[in-house]
Amino acid sequence: MNSESMRRIFPFLRWFPLNRETVKADAIAGVTVALLLIPQSMAYAQLAGLPPHYGLYAAFLPVLAGAMFGWCHQLQTGPVAMTSLLTAAVLAPMAIADSSRLIDLAVLLCLMIGFIRLLLGISRMSFFVNFLSHSVVVGFTNAAAIIIALSQLGKLLGVPMGRSESFLHDVWSVAPNAGGSDLSTLLFGVSALAVMLCMRKWLPQWPGVMIAVVAATAVSWATGFPQAGALPGIEPRIVGTIPAGLPHLRFPAFDIQTVIHLVPAAILIALVGFAEVAAVTRAISLKTG
């Protein structure tokens, strides 16, 4: 087997030989992505209805696998908003009151999605992305952005927000509690949004999201921002203690009926995630060659 064939099977061999400029650029990019991925992955875990530290578990393994076996140098792999939202929509009706059951179902769904994507890669089925309409992709992305923003309304106001099969009902349920908003939580959220929007407009070359996250974390620590709200039922103000160490690996409990029920959702999420990554990669490739 020649060197070119080896590089096609193991793309990380293209890294060598290393040089100072590449290592420096990748180190800066790695630190930047890591600082952003920590709060981002926890937010996406909560968007999927899971405890925030599960987002961290789902973040570091895809990054390693994507870096070693991916062909796009600039693409960061890991949890994304749309697939997190779809995961919540699929699993919430199946485990409304049982958090441990929800975690098992989420792990099982992720395994099924990974297996489907592996089959897509082995069978070289990526050509189907060419048949996706640009207007459909844009419409889906914008609709997902609106739903994601509205789903965070309860956390922004610091009031509880239900989770049911009707998303509009959940959003509307926030209105009666809006008068009891936690003002400190609201101030933190609005200030972070203001910092990111202002930096995007006047300092676009600066990492506005990272600066907002670091500044908000520092202010939270310096002011003793409490974990729980002042009133019962108020959303927790901070994430709280994250379990130390790595998770205990075990296979999720499941039955054949559950697998059959999740197959359509797994196929949909696998295709949506694959199409999203392909679209991003194509856009980056057009700019970088």
Side-chain angles (χ1 to χ4, degrees):
M1 185 178 293
N2 58 36
S3 59
E4 184 59 31
S5 298
M6 288 292 293
R7 286 190 177 92
R8 294 187 69 85
I9 300 174
F10 304 107
F12 58 87
L13 294 177
R14 296 173 298 156
W15 300 347
F16 305 99
L18 298 173
N19 60 70
R20 179 176 298 181
E21 289 75 16
T22 300
V23 171
K24 180 181 178 181
D26 285 348
I28 295 173
V31 170
T32 303
V33 170
L35 291 175
L36 290 177
L37 190 58
I38 291 172
Q40 182 188 62
S41 61
M42 291 194 291
Y44 289 160
Q46 292 180 309
L47 190 62
L50 299 171
H53 58 276
Y54 277 85
L56 298 176
Y57 299 155
F60 71 89
L61 284 178
V63 169
L64 294 175
M68 296 184 68
F69 296 100
W71 279 89
C72 183
H73 289 285
Q74 295 86 4
L75 184 67
Q76 173 262 316
T77 54
V80 294
M82 283 192 287
T83 54
S84 299
L85 187 66
L86 290 171
T87 299
V90 170
L91 299 183
M94 299 177 65
I96 295 177
D98 190 348
S99 59
S100 61
R101 174 64 172 163
L102 180 64
I103 293 171
D104 273 357
L105 289 173
V107 173
L108 176 61
L109 181 62
C110 287
L111 288 173
M112 295 172 64
I113 294 169
F115 181 72
I116 292 170
R117 288 186 177 177
L118 183 62
L119 291 180
L120 287 174
I122 293 175
S123 58
R124 298 182 181 275
M125 292 291 290
S126 59
F127 70 87
F128 86 89
V129 178
N130 297 324
F131 296 98
L132 288 175
S133 167
H134 177 70
S135 58
V136 170
V137 174
V138 171
F140 180 85
T141 303
N142 290 336
I146 293 173
I147 293 174
I148 291 165
L150 290 176
S151 70
Q152 299 303 298
L153 187 60
K155 296 186 182 300
L156 181 66
L157 297 175
V159 299
M161 180 176 178
R163 184 181 289 269
S164 68
E165 296 185 32
S166 175
F167 178 74
L168 290 178
H169 179 269
D170 295 340
V171 174
W172 186 251
S173 68
V174 175
N177 300 319
S181 299
D182 184 58
L183 295 181
S184 299
T185 300
L186 180 61
L187 180 61
F188 258 84
V190 172
S191 299
L193 285 173
V195 169
M196 288 185 283
L197 292 174
C198 291
M199 295 199 69
R200 173 176 290 186
K201 182 175 182 179
W202 288 297
L203 295 170
Q205 70 277 13
W206 286 48
V209 176
M210 184 171 66
I211 291 174
V213 169
V214 172
T217 303
V219 172
S220 175
W221 173 79
T223 58
F225 202 52
Q227 180 172 350
L231 299 174
I234 294 292
E235 285 283 323
R237 291 181 173 180
I238 60 175
V239 172
T241 303
I242 298 296
L246 298 177
H248 298 289
L249 299 180
R250 65 176 179 86
F251 206 75
F254 68 94
D255 55 75
I256 298 301
Q257 290 299 323
T258 301
V259 173
I260 294 174
H261 184 77
L262 289 177
V263 165
I267 294 174
L268 173 64
I269 296 175
L271 294 179
V272 168
F274 183 76
E276 183 182 23
V277 169
V280 172
T281 305
R282 181 183 297 174
I284 292 174
S285 298
L286 288 175
K287 291 182 178 181
T288 64

